Amino acid sequence: MSGDKKPEAPSPRFAMDASLGDSELSHRLLVLCATMMAIPAFFWGGIYAYFGEYKAAAIAWAFTVISIATLFLFRKAKGYRLLRESQLFLTLMLPFLVMLELDGFINSSAVIVWSLISPMGALVFASRKTAIYWFVAFIFLILIGAAINYHAPALEKGLPPELVTILFVMNLSGVSIVAFILLVYFVTQKEKTYSLLEMERGSSENLIRNMLPEAIGERLKQEQRPIADRLDNVTILFADISGFTSYAMNRPPEEVVSLLDRIFSHFDNIISQHGLEKIKTIGDAYMVCGGLNDDAKAGANEAAAFALEIMTYVKQLAQASPEPLGLRIGINTGSVVAGVIGHSKYSYDIWGDAVNIAARLQQTARTGDILISEKTAQLLENAFTLKPQGETGLKGHTPVVTYTLLSKSIGG
């Protein structure tokens, strides 16, 4: 089957590229944050060493060396997880060890606040569940620090009070900067996710609009099931490309599908200019209907105008083809049952004797003719030029009075 509506949707390749792009961005941000912490740690170590706190300096420098080593070892994307876990652990533990060496919160200028970056980083780079574990570990270290601070004399290690104050400012400012960067990234990713969700929602709504009438789509989004209606005075049109079977037998598949797609895509474009609803394609047959909005006269008139337009288009197309291609159209108006079937692949369809008559009219029509029933003709009134055909026998159905639709009437 060809010619069905094919709504645009994000390609798997695009989705995969977007996923890779997010992973690469996360890796780069993690490297940036690790670097932003490793470089200050080096200078912190220098300050501690200058004032004789060599063990604290060694811890700070160890942080820098280990961070740079992990950045080098896990620099590729496939090492992202190892880099993340190692940085979370280093960020949590090494500031705590410095605090232990300097005897508590105050003496260390609250250096342990750097450990807060660990659960924040886990929230951004891992998951909420993982972040909770790291946060609990951080709180536990804070409690240990509080106990140490309670028993430690102020400035036991001999750091000048002015330096302690400066380090307080530097620690709080440094943590705030890194935390702010992580928060900006988190918010950016959140907005990006919302944007992608909105795009997916738009794609889903476009899919529904292309597959179903607008009113039916709204009911489906409200989870109204089953969707089934009895509709009166619906005009059904069947159009079949005559000569297409022999054409397809003598052409490569790509050429056959390309022609059918070209024809039915043009039909789709014409439908968009009329108040009609495409139901489906069956091989080289095309089915539409009008009057679903209870306006029987408008539905019949739009179907007739559509029939004349596509007939003209196929005749022009046939002039450039070596094969004798043509169009046969049948139109009928009557009562139908309409509804949505399926759960994973929705399909809106109509059933009833009126549909069968329209299909039989198309089968009975000669190539180049538009054969319509008497009921449809009555709705057209004087807007179109019709040629009476009298009673016409239909295969598998009782005869019906028919007309050939010739053209629009002047001023109609």
Side-chain angles (χ1 to χ4, degrees):
M1 183 184 298
S2 302
D4 284 329
K5 300 175 186 178
K6 299 178 181 177
E8 296 181 359
S11 68
R13 176 66 179 276
F14 174 81
M16 181 178 67
D17 290 344
S19 177
L20 289 175
D22 290 343
S23 177
E24 183 179 356
L25 178 61
S26 298
H27 188 272
R28 289 180 178 178
L29 183 62
L30 179 57
V31 170
L32 174 62
C33 290
T35 304
M36 288 179 63
M37 295 181 65
I39 293 176
F42 177 79
F43 290 104
W44 257 252
I47 294 173
Y48 293 143
Y50 181 80
F51 286 94
E53 298 293 341
Y54 298 112
K55 290 184 179 179
I59 295 172
W61 285 337
F63 180 93
T64 300
V65 172
I66 297 173
S67 290
I68 293 175
T70 56
L71 288 173
F72 178 78
L73 290 174
F74 309 133
R75 64 187 182 278
K76 295 184 180 179
K78 62 182 181 180
Y80 172 76
R81 184 172 181 179
L82 293 173
L83 176 63
R84 181 187 67 195
E85 299 304 322
S86 64
Q87 286 298 315
L88 292 178
F89 180 78
L90 289 173
T91 304
L92 180 71
M93 292 305 301
L94 293 185
F96 172 72
L97 295 177
V98 172
M99 183 193 70
L100 288 181
E101 177 58 28
L102 296 178
D103 293 331
F105 285 121
I106 297 176
N107 292 354
S108 66
S109 303
V111 70
I112 196 172
V113 296
W114 282 99
S115 295
L116 180 60
I117 301 301
S118 179
M120 293 189 64
L123 182 62
V124 172
F125 299 115
S127 65
R128 285 185 298 178
K129 183 177 180 180
T130 302
I132 291 174
Y133 295 139
W134 289 101
F135 186 74
V136 170
F138 169 72
I139 296 299
F140 180 71
L141 296 182
I142 288 287
L143 294 176
I144 295 176
I148 294 173
N149 191 80
Y150 181 79
H151 296 288
L155 301 177
E156 180 185 326
K157 294 293 181 176
L159 291 176
E162 297 81 4
L163 177 61
V164 172
T165 302
I166 293 172
L167 289 178
F168 261 114
V169 174
M170 294 173 66
N171 285 329
L172 295 176
S173 298
V175 171
S176 299
I177 291 171
V178 176
F180 182 76
I181 291 175
L182 290 175
L183 183 60
V184 168
Y185 173 78
F186 184 81
V187 172
T188 300
Q189 290 299 98
K190 179 181 177 181
E191 292 176 348
K192 185 176 181 180
T193 300
Y194 282 146
S195 178
L196 290 174
L197 288 174
E198 195 63 30
M199 289 175 60
E200 289 298 321
R201 179 182 177 184
S203 297
S204 298
E205 291 185 352
N206 286 335
L207 180 65
I208 292 175
R209 279 195 294 268
N210 277 273
M211 294 175 60
L212 308 171
E214 184 176 353
I216 299 298
E218 290 298 322
R219 289 167 61 183
L220 189 63
K221 286 191 290 184
Q222 296 171 12
E223 299 184 356
Q224 296 183 17
R225 298 297 300 268
I227 295 178
D229 302 295
R230 182 174 297 279
L231 305 173
D232 296 321
N233 297 316
V234 172
T235 298
I236 307 101
L237 179 151
F238 279 91
D240 178 77
I241 304 174
S242 57
F244 191 80
T245 301
S246 59
Y247 176 90
M249 293 176 62
N250 301 316
R251 294 288 189 282
E254 295 80 4
E255 184 177 336
V256 173
V257 173
S258 177
L259 177 63
L260 201 59
D261 181 67
R262 178 183 176 186
I263 293 174
F264 285 169
S265 294
H266 189 78
F267 288 4
D268 290 345
N269 292 334
I270 297 176
I271 276 185
S272 64
Q273 304 169 17
H274 298 273
L276 303 173
E277 185 65 36
K278 177 182 176 181
I279 301 300
K280 58 186 174 182
T281 60
I282 310 169
D284 57 356
Y286 193 89
M287 177 184 178
V288 302
C289 66
L292 293 178
N293 57 355
D294 294 329
D295 192 338
K297 184 176 180 181
N301 278 265
E302 293 291 355
F306 172 74
L308 291 172
E309 286 189 53
I310 63 174
M311 181 66 74
T312 300
Y313 171 74
V314 173
K315 286 180 178 179
Q316 294 173 348
L317 197 64
Q319 294 176 358
S321 173
E323 298 292 337
L325 295 176
L327 201 62
R328 299 180 301 173
I329 300 175
I331 305 176
N332 179 48
T333 302
S335 299
V336 300
V337 172
V340 175
I341 56 177
H343 289 275
S344 59
K345 293 185 177 181
Y346 298 118
S347 174
Y348 182 76
D349 211 341
I350 57 176
W351 304 270
D353 189 55
V355 178
N356 296 332
I357 292 175
R360 298 295 186 272
L361 288 173
Q362 173 261 304
Q363 295 167 2
T364 305
R366 296 174 299 180
T367 299
D369 281 353
I370 303 171
L371 198 60
I372 68 175
S373 67
E374 184 176 29
K375 190 167 185 179
T376 303
Q378 291 172 351
L379 292 171
L380 298 180
E381 295 180 345
N382 298 320
F384 294 84
T385 301
L386 307 177
K387 181 180 179 181
Q389 298 295 324
E391 278 198 348
T392 302
L394 303 180
K395 184 179 179 180
H397 199 281
T398 56
V400 296
V401 176
T402 62
Y403 296 80
T404 300
L405 176 64
L406 301 179
S407 63
K408 275 190 174 183
S409 297
I410 299 176

